[in-house]
Amino acid sequence: MEKSEQVSDTEAVSNASPSPYKLLLKCPFGLSPSQVSVDFSSTHDRIPHPDLNLEKSIIEIWDQRLQQNPSLFNGTKFRYGGHTVHDMDDPNQETAVCLNLGLTDYRTFVGTNLSASWEKFLVPSEDDSKRCQHTSNPLGNGAVVETADRKILVLQRSHNVGEFPGYFVFPGGHPEPGEVGIAAHQHDGSSSESVLIYSKVSQETFDSIIREVVEEIGVPASSLSSVVFIGISQRGLNVRPTAFFHMKCNLESKDIQQLYSSAQDGYESTQLYTVSRSELEKMATKMPGCHRGGFALYDLMSK
């Protein structure tokens, strides 16, 4: 396959009806950490909606949620603001992707993407970053983990979680600004400091998915290898974006099942499944849209 085909942009699943997901970025050969960079800037933050009542609803929804659940925490998240693909003219150079990331928070996510009025925040545009410029769009992550006996790890979500209780999902969560010491944008730093921050954020995109797998599955980080970025899937419902990765685990299914019983974040799920590719294809229909897109990205990779 030609170099220019190693990475490709937006593709909807079907034009006939609203799709459960859209593939915003496809990297079927997988990209290593050296091929994925980040442009972390306030220019990729959410733009407030011009409808003041719609903006006001964000705080109102959050206050209602807090009354129902006072333990809710308004954590800071990285906001996905699009990406740039660099296809090198030199065939000896690697294809690279730059992720455009800003900052957002859980309150804004609840009040925009998770709002019953989420579609009102969208702008009619073929450019997804413009279409979603008024939504929180925190970047999630997910991992397709392949075991030593060639099984794929799938979790069934707990009925106590806020989104899609009981659904099948790949392990995952979010890259965390706090893990790299980011609480807000720094506008007065030197160019060398900016480069360092970009590097830390880029590394966090890979470190975070390993951390999520370790915490949700219970396997040691040393058992995971060959981590590659395979693309970004966007859920059709509420346009939530998720970056997907593929990795290998050198443990067999039976050993992983034993480790899962004592996983740090095991409370988020009720069961771990180790399934074949054909079984995974059937389970994917019972996944949230963004994770169905994750399966589609894996499917492209495995062809």
Side-chain angles (χ1 to χ4, degrees):
M1 184 172 286
E2 295 296 324
K3 179 72 71 172
S4 61
E5 294 179 278
Q6 291 189 8
V7 177
S8 57
D9 287 313
T10 305
E11 175 185 275
V13 176
S14 170
N15 294 323
S17 60
S19 169
Y21 66 88
K22 179 187 289 186
L23 301 184
L24 300 181
L25 177 62
K26 299 176 293 181
C27 310
F29 291 95
L31 300 184
S32 67
S34 65
Q35 294 173 273
V36 181
S37 62
V38 163
D39 179 19
F40 175 62
S41 167
S42 60
T43 60
H44 306 308
D45 287 359
R46 171 183 174 269
I47 298 173
H49 198 282
D51 184 332
L52 297 181
N53 288 327
L54 200 56
E55 277 295 297
K56 185 180 177 182
S57 72
I58 297 173
I59 302 296
E60 292 172 345
I61 290 171
W62 179 251
D63 288 343
Q64 291 170 7
R65 290 284 296 271
L66 272 181
Q67 289 179 1
Q68 297 167 1
N69 183 2
S71 65
L72 283 179
F73 174 67
N74 184 27
T76 302
K77 301 295 179 185
F78 288 114
R79 180 182 186 274
Y80 175 69
H83 62 268
T84 305
V85 177
H86 301 285
D87 283 320
M88 306 303 181
D89 294 330
D90 184 346
N92 295 318
Q93 293 287 320
E94 295 179 319
T95 297
V97 165
C98 180
L99 303 179
N100 300 328
L101 300 181
L103 287 177
T104 187
D105 56 36
Y106 186 62
R107 178 179 65 185
T108 311
F109 174 57
V110 169
T112 59
N113 294 82
L114 295 189
S115 167
S117 302
W118 65 272
E119 290 176 294
K120 294 181 180 179
F121 285 94
L122 302 181
V123 175
S125 176
E126 293 297 318
D127 181 343
D128 189 75
S129 59
K130 182 175 182 180
R131 177 174 176 252
C132 299
Q133 65 184 8
H134 301 309
T135 58
S136 174
N137 274 29
L139 182 65
N141 60 22
V144 181
V145 184
E146 197 166 344
T147 68
D149 51 344
R150 301 182 65 81
K151 301 292 186 181
I152 302 297
L153 304 183
V154 177
L155 294 166
Q156 184 165 26
R157 285 174 65 79
S158 165
H159 287 279
N160 296 321
V161 295
E163 287 187 88
F164 292 94
Y167 277 62
F168 297 125
V169 292
F170 296 109
H174 300 84
E176 299 288 352
E179 289 290 332
V180 288
I182 293 175
H185 290 290
Q186 302 294 325
H187 298 286
D188 55 355
S190 65
S191 58
S192 60
E193 289 175 330
S194 296
V195 170
L196 179 60
I197 290 173
Y198 290 177
S199 177
K200 286 182 176 180
V201 175
S202 179
Q203 187 60 46
E204 169 62 7
T205 61
F206 281 82
D207 289 348
S208 61
I209 192 58
I210 294 174
R211 191 168 61 242
E212 295 288 356
V213 171
V214 169
E215 293 175 356
E216 294 188 2
I217 304 297
V219 296
S222 59
S223 70
L224 304 173
S225 64
S226 305
V227 183
V228 291
F229 172 67
I230 60 173
I232 296 177
S233 167
Q234 181 189 67
R235 187 187 300 165
L237 174 69
N238 71 37
V239 296
R240 183 176 187 175
T242 302
F244 276 91
F245 298 79
H246 178 271
M247 65 183 72
K248 294 184 178 180
C249 180
N250 63 15
L251 301 175
E252 294 197 349
S253 300
K254 63 180 187 302
D255 300 316
I256 296 172
Q257 287 285 5
Q258 291 180 341
L259 291 168
Y260 170 69
S261 63
S262 57
Q264 177 181 330
D265 287 351
Y267 63 90
E268 294 181 358
S269 60
T270 57
Q271 190 168 348
L272 170 67
Y273 295 87
T274 55
V275 300
S276 66
R277 190 197 170 286
S278 59
E279 291 170 326
L280 177 61
E281 186 170 8
K282 295 176 183 176
M283 296 176 82
T285 62
K286 299 178 182 178
M287 288 181 165
C290 48
H291 284 250
R292 290 180 68 175
F295 169 73
L297 291 168
Y298 168 64
D299 192 41
L300 289 172
M301 183 185 185
S302 58
K303 286 182 177 178

